[in-house]
Amino acid sequence: MTHPPLGEMLATLRDTTPLVHCMTNYVAMNSTANLLLATGASPAMLHAPEEVAEFTAIAGALSINIGTISSSWAASMALAARAANETGTPWVLDPVAVGATSFRQQVCTELLTHQPTVIRANASEVMALAGLASQGRGVDATATTEDAAQAAIDLARQQRCIVAMTGETDFITDGTHHYRLTGGHSMMPRVTTLGCGLSALVAGFVAANRDDPLAATLAALACFSIAGSRAGQQASGPGSFQVALLDALYSLTTDDLSSLSQLEALHAV
């Protein structure tokens, strides 16, 4: 599969300034909004059940993060996801700690019925979701990295979506085409909500590049990886890293994204 240059995806995002409806957790709201603004998208944070469906229909994309889930937010998220599915609005699911409690599993089982465009999660979350989607047992504590990659492929095929499994190395698949992305910096796990913000950034890229959500997802992750690497070279600790990351995202060029991304297409897993 031939993708447009990743830099072209960033240029389109900045040209169109897509509106991203972010239903994210309390901890992540401010940092997520700033991350989107620094890259070139426009964030909105709405959770009220009276308006989420209406707003989702006019947004460029929806991002749902269940980090600080409650019953009322779960209901609102289901309304928004349903609206996204019905209106053809792309949406991203970030199933934070889905394997931790039965309530989170119940919420994600409902959300999966509304066909997310992209699932952005870590390896344990991907495996938990794959178990839910196949009505299996969920996470196996003895699972290997290879098992997680296969779970990502299975989940992408089950849901007919893109799965972006992020960590020290990222694995991205649509069930047929698979990619590995390296980069970033070891300080990134020391700053909370970066993964939450990344999910919203994926939504922004997909909103701006609807014709190729896989390439858009790759571009979003590549942006984050390159910016994280640059921020780490400048920062003296987590506090300065967070500021440097925003500056790095803001100053990224299309040439940077096309030439510096450490992306590898995989022929087999």
Side-chain angles (χ1 to χ4, degrees):
M1 182 176 181
T2 302
H3 294 290
L6 297 184
E8 187 176 306
M9 299 281 163
L10 176 60
T12 303
L13 179 137
R14 289 176 171 166
D15 287 343
T16 58
T17 317
L19 177 61
V20 182
H21 178 191
C22 302
M23 302 184 74
T24 192
N25 64 78
Y26 292 117
V27 183
M29 288 186 192
N30 181 267
S31 57
T32 294
N34 283 332
L35 189 150
L36 287 171
L37 288 168
T39 310
S42 179
M45 310 283 174
L46 294 85
H47 292 83
E50 295 83 0
E51 64 177 351
V52 291
E54 181 181 357
F55 193 82
T56 294
I58 64 173
L62 168 69
S63 179
I64 291 180
N65 174 298
I66 69 164
T68 53
I69 194 72
S70 66
S71 295
S72 61
W73 276 26
S76 290
M77 289 172 175
L79 289 171
R82 182 181 297 111
N85 191 18
E86 291 174 350
T87 60
T89 303
W91 74 278
V92 177
L93 173 61
D94 187 339
V96 180
V98 60
T101 69
S102 58
F103 178 54
R104 289 175 183 272
Q105 293 165 21
Q106 176 186 342
V107 168
C108 285
T109 298
E110 164 70 12
L111 290 173
L112 287 175
T113 66
H114 303 302
Q115 300 179 302
T117 310
V118 183
I119 296 169
R120 205 290 309 168
N122 64 31
S124 62
E125 292 160 352
V126 165
M127 296 195 71
L129 277 188
L132 290 175
S134 64
Q135 298 182 343
R137 293 180 298 133
V139 178
D140 181 349
T142 63
T144 65
T145 301
E146 289 75 19
D147 291 330
Q150 188 59 54
I153 295 168
D154 292 344
L155 180 60
R157 290 172 177 169
Q158 290 161 0
Q159 293 297 130
R160 298 183 180 180
C161 73
I162 294 147
V163 174
M165 185 170 66
T166 57
E168 187 173 340
T169 298
D170 299 339
F171 178 79
I172 306 97
T173 179
D174 63 0
T176 302
H177 307 93
H178 321 305
Y179 295 85
R180 179 186 295 120
L181 178 69
T182 56
H185 193 271
S186 59
M187 212 178 296
M188 296 180 86
R190 298 281 185 170
V191 180
T192 190
T193 71
L194 290 191
C196 308
L198 176 56
S199 295
L201 188 62
V202 169
F205 270 87
V206 173
N209 300 278
R210 290 194 181 200
D211 291 342
D212 198 340
L214 176 58
T217 301
L218 295 173
L221 269 61
C223 267
F224 217 63
S225 174
I226 296 167
S229 178
R230 286 184 171 174
Q233 294 168 13
Q234 303 170 22
S236 58
S240 55
F241 180 88
Q242 188 168 22
V243 174
L245 179 65
L246 290 178
D247 289 346
L249 286 168
Y250 179 78
S251 62
L252 269 181
T253 68
T254 56
D255 287 342
D256 289 337
L257 197 56
S258 295
S259 63
L260 298 178
S261 61
Q262 300 177 49
L263 184 67
E264 176 188 2
L266 303 176
H267 299 293
V269 177

